[in-house]
């Protein structure tokens, strides 16, 4: 039998004193850039029950970001919305499944992803360590903002009920769900699976699989940069965002997760400030984090907090 | 169903006219004490220049190898996400980007979704004709490596793993998870999930092309390739009741010429992944598989 995963695991990450100031400055920079959204119907991907659009908007550093936007053909004048955030290596999917459940759905492709890589493309592997010694230029600075701007896009849509916006994703999408819920008070419910980008410096000791192994590769080649790497990552660690989350949250983890160590999932969950929070640890499951069981949990969670879909 | 090898011989002949001319470069960032990683550029049908990651264990060998055939995603991985990096200490690993994937996306950049139907109404122009050739070229290249034990070569992947093993000699073992080309014309209308939803999208938009699309798909159907596969095969089926479950794949399993094991997904990436790692290790003579498992999978 494997060693039991410690539910009380404590992360080594510490929150920098100027964490809030750093991100407030990033948000200030982003706020000066118009969204300049473009919504293009995609008849090839649309069907009788779901209308599909390709979306483009401008984000930090004036990088143009792509997304898929789906809405049920039959919907209320104001419809609840779900933002889907992608995994590390995943090509952002067309979220027709959420639209079929009655939600308007946005699937964001942050910079470097397919369809958003013209101005920024560090590649895979590489994204995780791109400019990792400088928090002001680290790849995830813009990547996070690209996701948060997805909420701005939803708020700009007349068919979206601004009071009923949720966010969800797994793996990197789980980490992005955490940071988005932390930084955007308009998010009313968040469902994060197998959250990545949480406990970076713990994860590189707990596991030796990619993508976290990219950091170990980098430090093997540049051992003198370890402190600089840890300093940067502290600004991007989902655990340090968790105390800003106040909306209802559900988190699922696999206790045999070979990508995102479950210890980091516990550490994250313990730091989430929201009073309404649930953790679902799935024994005998890996990085899919018990999806076969948890899908229905997420559906009920959003139905409860965003209102029943049509 | 016609013999796939006969249908594909012109493509293989055309591929043979383009030498691979590999250009191999050490990648220090991804090299470790136990394995050296190389970036490899090589030529395929077209001519088209491809890219792959080749990892060679430290030591004298010969080593077993895992060939990760082109996947259906834009990203090319060194080894699949979640695989212990120490896998590279026991196996040669070789992962190839087919045309259109990152690092092999110039001049052709694939879209996901989109690749599955690119040129699908004309079998000669269908992009997967080139991708199949790419995958065959990848196996040919791996077999040239002097560190390789040719009796222990696992071709791993989706449909392309099985197709490659059918069209080219050299695979001793195959691990295949059908997803794209098993009875696709019949299965696609029964699902709304990508990638097969791409076929539905396409035919909804171009209904008059249905016969041409079905003709093309028939040329890629795994059941036509199966009689050519003599390698020992692990056929990964979906969970019971899913579109590609054990029952649906039974005709394919029966048509394979070599020994076959059908594994039915338990809908746990841990249980499914552990089974595959242990299956490969047992057949490649790796007795200390625990060492090369991810930390959270070890007993």
């Amino acid at each position: 039998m494997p060693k039991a995963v410690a539910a009380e695991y404590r992360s080594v990450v510490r929150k920098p004193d100027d964490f809030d100031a750093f991100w407030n400055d990033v948000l200030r920079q982003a706020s000066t850039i118009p969204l300049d959204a473009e919504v293009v119907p995609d008849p090839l991907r649309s069907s009788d029950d779901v209308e599909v659009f390709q979306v483009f908007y401008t984000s930090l550093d004036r990088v143009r970001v792509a997304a898929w936007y789906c809405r049920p053909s039959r919907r209320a004048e104001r419809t609840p919305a779900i933002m889907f955030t992608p995994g590390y290596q995943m090509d952002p999917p067309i979220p027709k499944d959420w639209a079929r459940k009655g939600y308007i759905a946005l699937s964001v492709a942050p910079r470097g992803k397919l369809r958003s890589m013209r101005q920024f493309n560090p590649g895979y592997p590489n994204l995780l360590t791109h400019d990792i010694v400088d928090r002001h230029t680290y790849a995830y600075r813009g990547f996070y903002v690209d996701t948060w701007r997805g909420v701005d896009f939803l708020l700009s849509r007349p068919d979206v009920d601004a009071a009923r916006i949720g966010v969800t994703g797994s793996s990197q999408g789980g980490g992005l769900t955490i940071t988005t819920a932390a930084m955007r008070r308009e998010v009313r419910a968040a469902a994060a699976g197998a959250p990545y980008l949480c406990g970076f410096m713990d994860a590189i000791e707990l596991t030796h699989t990619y993508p976290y192994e990219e950091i170990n590769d980098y430090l093997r080649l540049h051992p003198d940069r370890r402190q600089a790497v840890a300093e940067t990552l502290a600004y991007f660690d989902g655990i340090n965002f968790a105390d800003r989350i106040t909306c209802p949250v559900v988190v699922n983890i696999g206790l045999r997760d070979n990508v995102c160590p479950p210890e980091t999932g516990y550490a994250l969950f313990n730091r989430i400030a929201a009073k309404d929070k649930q953790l679902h640890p799935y024994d005998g499951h890996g990085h899919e984090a018990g999806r076969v069981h948890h899908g229905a949990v997420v559906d009920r969670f959003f139905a409860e907090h965003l209102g029943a879909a049509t | 169903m016609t013999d796939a090898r006969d249908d594909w011989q012109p493509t293989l002949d055309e591929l043979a006219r383009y030498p691979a001319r590999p250009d191999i470069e050490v990648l220090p960032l991804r090299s470790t004490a136990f394995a050296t990683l190389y970036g490899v550029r090589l030529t395929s049908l077209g001519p088209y220049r491809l890219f792959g990651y080749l990892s060679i264990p430290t030591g004298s060998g010969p080593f077993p190898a895992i060939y990760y055939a082109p996947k259906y995603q834009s990203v090319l991985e060194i080894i699949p996400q979640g695989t212990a990096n120490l896998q590279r200490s026991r196996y040669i690993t070789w992962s190839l980007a087919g045309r259109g994937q990152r690092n092999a996306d110039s001049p052709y950049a694939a879209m996901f979704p989109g690749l599955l139907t690119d040129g699908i109404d004309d079998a000669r122009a269908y992009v997967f004709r080139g991708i199949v050739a790419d995958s065959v070229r990848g196996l040919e290249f791996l077999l040239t490596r002097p560190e390789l034990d040719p009796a222990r070569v696992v071709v791993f992947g989706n449909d392309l793993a099985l197709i490659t093993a059918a069209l080219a000699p050299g695979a001793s073992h195959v691990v295949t998870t059908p997803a794209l080309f098993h009875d696709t014309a019949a299965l696609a209308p029964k699902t709304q999930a990508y990638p097969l939803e791409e076929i539905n999208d396409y035919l909804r938009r171009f209904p008059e092309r249905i016969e041409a699309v079905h003709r093309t798909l028939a040329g890629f159907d795994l059941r036509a390739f199966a009689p050519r596969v003599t390698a020992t095969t692990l056929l990964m089926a979906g969970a019971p009741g899913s579109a590609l479950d054990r029952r649906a794949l039974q005709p394919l399993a029966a048509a394979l010429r070599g020994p076959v094991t059908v594994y039915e997904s338990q809908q746990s990436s841990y249980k499914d992944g552990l089974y595959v790692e242990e299956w490969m290790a047992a057949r490649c003579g790796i007795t200390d598989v625990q060492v090369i498992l991810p930390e959270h999978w070890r007993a």
Side-chain angles (χ1 to χ4, degrees), chain A residues 44-46 89 91 96 100 112 121 126 208-210 213 217 220 256 258 263 284-285 287-288 292, chain B residues 29-32 73-74 77 82 85 102 192 194 197 201 204 267-270 295-298:
Chain A
L44 176 64
R45 304 294 172 202
S46 297
Q89 295 178 174
D91 297 308
K96 290 185 185 179
R100 290 191 176 107
N121 188 21
N126 274 339
H208 291 82
T209 65
Y210 288 103
E213 192 66 3
D217 287 346
R220 190 169 50 248
R256 293 287 202 155
N258 51 322
E263 293 90 339
H285 286 270
H287 191 51
E288 33 64 59
V292 62
Chain B
L29 177 62
R30 311 289 174 203
S31 295
T32 69
Q73 62 182 31
S74 68
E77 303 155 291
N85 206 22
R102 286 173 186 264
Q192 293 179 320
Y194 287 100
E197 176 74 351
D201 289 346
R204 193 167 47 245
Q267 300 187 82
S268 156
S269 59
Y270 155 63
E295 285 83 347
H296 291 80
W297 288 10
R298 292 177 189 168

Side-chain angles (χ1 to χ4, degrees), chain B residues 15-299:
Chain B
L15 175 65
R17 288 200 288 275
Y18 297 102
R21 302 206 186 284
D23 179 6
I24 303 172
E25 183 180 358
V26 174
L27 301 178
L29 177 62
R30 311 289 174 203
S31 295
T32 69
F34 56 80
T36 302
L37 190 73
Y38 302 87
V40 180
R41 296 203 174 275
L42 69 170
T43 299
S44 179
L45 188 70
Y48 196 99
R49 202 73 170 154
L50 306 175
F51 179 84
Y53 290 114
L54 175 69
S55 180
I56 304 289
T58 301
S60 54
F63 302 104
I66 304 173
Y67 168 32
Y68 292 112
K71 296 177 81 167
Y72 197 75
Q73 62 182 31
S74 68
V75 169
L76 172 68
E77 303 155 291
I78 298 167
I79 50 178
Q81 176 177 285
T83 304
N85 206 22
L86 276 168
Q87 186 188 71
R88 294 167 51 204
S89 71
R90 296 295 191 278
Y91 297 95
I92 295 171
T93 64
W94 164 232
S95 60
L96 181 70
R99 63 192 63 202
Q101 288 183 271
R102 286 173 186 264
N103 301 310
D105 56 356
S106 178
Y108 174 68
M111 283 293 121
F112 298 89
L115 182 70
L116 188 58
T117 56
D118 192 343
I120 197 170
D121 59 338
D122 177 355
R124 290 290 301 170
Y126 187 35
V127 69
F128 267 90
R129 175 174 167 267
I131 293 172
V132 166
D134 298 343
S135 188
V136 168
R137 175 51 44 92
L139 180 56
E140 291 172 349
F141 167 75
L142 177 62
L143 295 173
T144 67
R145 297 303 306 180
E147 307 89 343
L148 178 77
D149 177 355
R152 296 181 290 167
V153 178
V154 182
V155 181
F156 186 112
N158 60 23
D159 312 65
L160 283 174
L162 191 143
I163 292 172
T164 301
L167 294 180
S172 62
H173 298 82
V174 174
V175 178
T176 179
T177 308
L180 306 174
F181 295 122
H182 182 272
D183 203 12
T184 305
L187 288 183
K190 298 176 184 171
T191 183
Q192 293 179 320
Y194 287 100
L196 294 191
E197 176 74 351
E198 290 183 39
I199 305 285
N200 301 329
D201 289 346
Y202 188 88
L203 290 177
R204 193 167 47 245
R205 187 78 174 148
F206 306 108
E208 74 282 4
R209 300 182 190 175
I210 188 167
E211 287 183 16
V213 168
H214 287 181
R215 263 198 311 275
T216 299
L217 290 172
F220 287 81
D221 196 292
L222 295 184
R223 292 167 297 180
F225 292 95
R228 289 279 177 180
V229 178
T230 57
T232 300
T233 298
L234 175 59
L235 181 57
M236 302 292 287
S242 63
L244 290 166
D245 65 4
R246 178 193 295 270
R247 186 175 168 194
L249 293 178
Q250 184 51 38
L252 174 63
L256 290 163
R257 266 181 60 205
V260 58
T261 301
V262 181
Y263 173 86
E264 200 160 51
S265 173
Q266 298 185 57
Q267 300 187 82
S268 156
S269 59
Y270 155 63
K271 292 174 183 171
D272 296 353
L274 181 62
Y275 184 89
V276 173
E277 290 290 344
E278 291 180 336
W279 188 92
M280 291 193 297
R283 279 146 191 85
C284 290
I286 292 170
T287 55
D288 58 348
V289 65
Q290 286 291 320
V291 173
I292 60 169
L293 292 177
E295 285 83 347
H296 291 80
W297 288 10
R298 292 177 189 168

